[in-house]
Amino acid sequence: MKFADWAPILVAFITVTGGIVQARRKRPMTREIVKQDAELLALLPEDSEAKQILAAHIDGAVREIVEGEDEQTRDLGGVLFWISFLVLAVFLVVVAVDRGGYWWLLCLPAAVAWLLGAPAVVQDVALRRRDARGRPV
C-alpha cells in the first residue's frame, strides 16, 4: 500500500482524536467546580440562606471526591488489550479491501474482534469500583 492510501485514514484519526481531547479539556473538573463554589461562598453575606445551602452542597461534593478517588479506577491493562482487538479489526478490513477476492472473508473475524473490543473498551475505561484484580465490583 502507498502512503496516499493511508493518508485519509490518518487524517480522520487525528481529527477525531483532537476533537475528543478538546472536548474533554473544555469540561471543568470536579475540584475546579468546588473551588469556584467556595469562592462564591465567600462572597455571599453571612445571614444569607443561599450561603447555608451552598455550604452544604460544597461539603457533599468534597465528601464524594474524597470517597470516590480512592475507590474508582480504570483498568488500563484491559483497555490496552481490547484496543489491540480494535486495531486488529481495522487491519483485517484494510487487508481485505486491499487484496479483494477471498480476502473479503477476513471481514468476519474483523467483525467479531470489533464486536468484542468496542463494548469491552467502554467497560474498562469507565471509572468504577474494582477489586484487587481489576474486575468491576
Side-chain angles (χ1 to χ4, degrees), residues 60-114:
V62 169
R63 282 192 186 133
E64 284 182 25
I65 290 171
V66 171
E67 291 171 0
E69 272 184 346
D70 296 334
E71 297 175 3
Q72 296 183 346
T73 60
R74 291 183 172 90
D75 184 11
L76 183 61
V79 170
L80 295 175
F81 176 75
W82 292 112
I83 284 179
S84 69
F85 265 61
L86 299 178
V87 169
L88 173 68
V90 170
F91 175 74
L92 291 175
V93 169
V94 168
V95 169
V97 169
D98 184 46
R99 304 271 171 101
Y102 286 110
W103 287 92
W104 281 102
L105 292 175
L106 287 177
C107 289
L108 295 174
V112 171
W114 189 268

Side-chain angles (χ1 to χ4, degrees), residues 43-64:
L43 297 175
L44 292 173
E46 288 296 324
D47 58 346
S48 172
E49 182 181 330
K51 187 165 186 162
Q52 296 170 357
I53 295 171
L54 186 57
H57 172 74
I58 292 171
D59 188 47
V62 169
R63 282 192 186 133
E64 284 182 25

